[in-house]
Amino acid sequence: MKFGIIGAGNGGHAFAAYLGLKGHEVYWYDIDSDVVHALNEQGGVYVNGKLNGFAPIKHATDHIQEVIEQANIIMVVAPANAHRVIAKNCSPHLKEKQMIVLNPGATGGALEFYQELKNNHCTADVTIAETQSLLFACRLESPGSVSIYGIKENLPMAAFPNERTESAYRILAPIFTEWVKGENVLEVSLGNLNAMLHPAPSLCSLTKIDQKQEFLHYLDGITASVANFIEKMDEERINIGKAYGLDLPSSKQLLREFYGVEGETIDELTRNNQAYQTIAGAQTVSNRYFAEDIPMGLIPMSQLAKAAGVQTPTIDSIIHIVSSILDDDFSSSSRTLESMGLENKSVEHILKLIEQGESSQVMNG
């Protein structure tokens, strides 16, 4: 199988190692020409931790067209803030029957990616899938070297429209044996664990961040009190799911399923998770735990809630407080009902769209 990886950060390196060690051809795109040069010069990725060895790659490039021309499956492994730009840049080059997988989609990733392809007049019949979270807990050591601390189990994925999920899963499951079929992309999106576990601990650690104090995000940032706050957010997330006919697992359930850890509370589960033991906390207020997980995670959740008449005061409080701290209401950068193609649609209409796609999909040629 020929894979194209878009993004050479933590996750991109982990996927290149995972796929290269399994013998798949890996073509790799990143905007940083220095990173691209280093990867080509080395010819692959060194990995340690849960995976160990050297994984070869076929070619790295800073021209996205080169990767799309070679790949059967395109793995987008970049911050969710970049999904729109990536979709725009991919749109002229995509070919019939290719698959795009967002790793992860955050909240509403596949829907927004499809909408952006449509906005850019893409006519290729492609399938867009997303995963609920990044498969790996990992950190980039240097270009061409990555440490993988944990690999999630039972990680849900789904495709848009949902009628393509089964065929996508049949292709992907033999390769990504840790993945399971989600009910649909809405269920996968509303299971966005990052949106629950990242912003609140960072907000409650703001003095440490401002003072440049080093701390561990999960071990120091998630105390019993912070865990209580996260569980209030989690209740609201689950209520959003109920409004769309979904029985969402709690964040505690997701942590148990992903990592096989034990514990009764969020703080116990994160503290007992070996994959979280060394993950550092944010060092600036512009960190991705705010800059990505608010506009790409909590804001689209809040908008989906409003469309269904669900109240989310705790989620909204995080959004408003962080917006005030950053002096940015995220109005120009957020994933919204409009950007996901869901504006002015009823719950019934949204569910039908997710299941069947649009009646005259632009990507059906």
Side-chain angles (χ1 to χ4, degrees):
M1 190 69 73
K2 294 182 179 181
F3 281 88
I5 297 176
I6 296 179
N10 302 322
H13 271 72
F15 270 112
Y18 180 97
L19 291 166
L21 289 175
K22 290 191 174 191
H24 298 286
E25 291 187 16
V26 173
Y27 299 85
W28 206 345
Y29 165 81
D30 195 77
I31 59 174
D32 190 327
S33 58
D34 290 337
V35 170
V36 166
H37 176 74
L39 294 172
N40 282 326
E41 193 168 70
Q42 186 167 283
V45 179
Y46 289 99
V47 58
N48 64 80
K50 291 294 184 180
L51 299 176
N52 287 279
F54 179 77
I57 63 169
K58 294 293 287 186
H59 183 62
T61 177
D62 56 2
H63 297 287
I64 201 167
Q65 180 178 357
E66 293 180 18
V67 166
I68 294 172
E69 286 176 348
Q70 294 294 332
N72 309 116
I73 299 172
I74 299 161
M75 306 287 282
V76 177
V77 197
N81 314 64
H83 285 171
R84 263 177 268 176
V85 172
I86 291 169
K88 180 180 179 180
N89 292 341
C90 285
S91 59
H93 312 299
L94 290 168
K95 302 180 294 184
E96 297 292 301
K97 307 305 179 185
Q98 284 180 314
M99 188 188 304
I100 300 162
V101 186
L102 307 180
N103 299 273
T107 306
L111 295 168
E112 184 181 67
F113 205 95
Y114 166 79
Q115 194 66 24
E116 192 63 24
L117 292 183
K118 178 181 173 183
N119 292 343
N120 285 277
H121 311 293
C122 178
T123 57
D125 181 11
V126 299
T127 295
I128 305 168
E130 65 176 90
T131 62
Q132 194 168 78
S133 182
L134 185 66
L135 180 59
F136 312 99
C138 57
R139 281 295 178 269
L140 177 65
E141 303 297 341
S142 62
S145 179
V146 65
S147 296
I148 297 179
Y149 307 127
I151 302 177
K152 296 181 179 70
E153 301 172 358
N154 302 307
L155 180 64
M157 60 75 58
F160 175 76
N162 197 44
E163 57 192 25
R164 296 192 181 194
T165 294
E166 179 63 37
S167 59
Y169 182 72
R170 282 201 304 269
I171 293 168
L172 296 168
I175 303 163
F176 302 101
T177 54
E178 302 86 358
W179 291 4
V180 297
K181 259 190 311 183
E183 188 166 336
N184 56 38
V185 291
L186 190 58
E187 184 212 31
V188 170
S189 282
L190 288 174
N192 183 354
L193 192 60
N194 287 349
M196 297 293 106
L197 298 186
H198 289 170
S202 297
L203 178 59
C204 294
S205 303
L206 197 59
T207 54
K208 292 180 182 176
I209 295 171
D210 277 342
Q211 294 168 4
K212 307 296 182 185
Q213 295 180 24
E214 293 186 0
F215 69 100
L216 298 174
H217 178 80
Y218 294 100
L219 271 62
D220 299 327
I222 302 183
T223 62
S225 298
V226 175
N228 287 338
F229 187 86
I230 291 171
E231 293 211 29
K232 295 295 183 186
M233 295 173 62
D234 210 43
E235 289 172 11
E236 294 174 3
R237 179 186 64 84
I238 290 168
N239 287 336
I240 300 169
K242 288 178 181 176
Y244 289 92
L246 300 168
D247 184 15
L248 299 177
S250 69
S251 289
K252 291 186 288 188
Q253 289 173 274
L254 290 173
L255 285 167
R256 294 181 186 117
E257 290 173 9
F258 287 170
Y259 294 106
V261 293
E262 295 181 358
E264 294 302 315
T265 62
I266 294 254
D267 54 310
E268 288 178 359
L269 286 159
T270 52
R271 191 166 55 249
N272 293 341
N273 186 357
Q274 290 304 307
Y276 286 169
Q277 297 299 304
T278 59
I279 294 179
Q283 294 297 298
T284 68
V285 293
S286 59
N287 70 86
R288 67 183 180 89
Y289 292 171
F290 288 159
E292 180 180 8
D293 292 316
I294 298 287
M296 299 289 117
L298 293 181
I299 287 178
M301 276 188 194
S302 178
Q303 294 217 348
L304 284 164
K306 289 181 175 62
V310 176
Q311 299 297 310
T312 54
T314 315
I315 288 174
D316 292 343
S317 69
I318 285 276
I319 295 169
H320 292 315
I321 292 169
V322 174
S323 296
S324 298
I325 290 166
L326 300 182
D327 195 23
D328 181 359
D329 65 1
F330 301 108
S331 58
S332 62
S333 61
S334 292
R335 188 169 284 164
T336 63
L337 292 175
E338 181 181 8
S339 72
M340 293 184 286
L342 305 179
E343 191 177 30
N344 299 321
K345 289 181 170 59
S346 66
V347 168
E348 183 181 16
H349 193 171
I350 289 171
L351 291 173
K352 185 176 181 180
L353 177 69
I354 286 168
E355 185 62 36
Q356 301 175 5
E358 295 181 338
S359 56
S360 56
Q361 289 189 50
V362 68
M363 288 184 291
N364 280 345

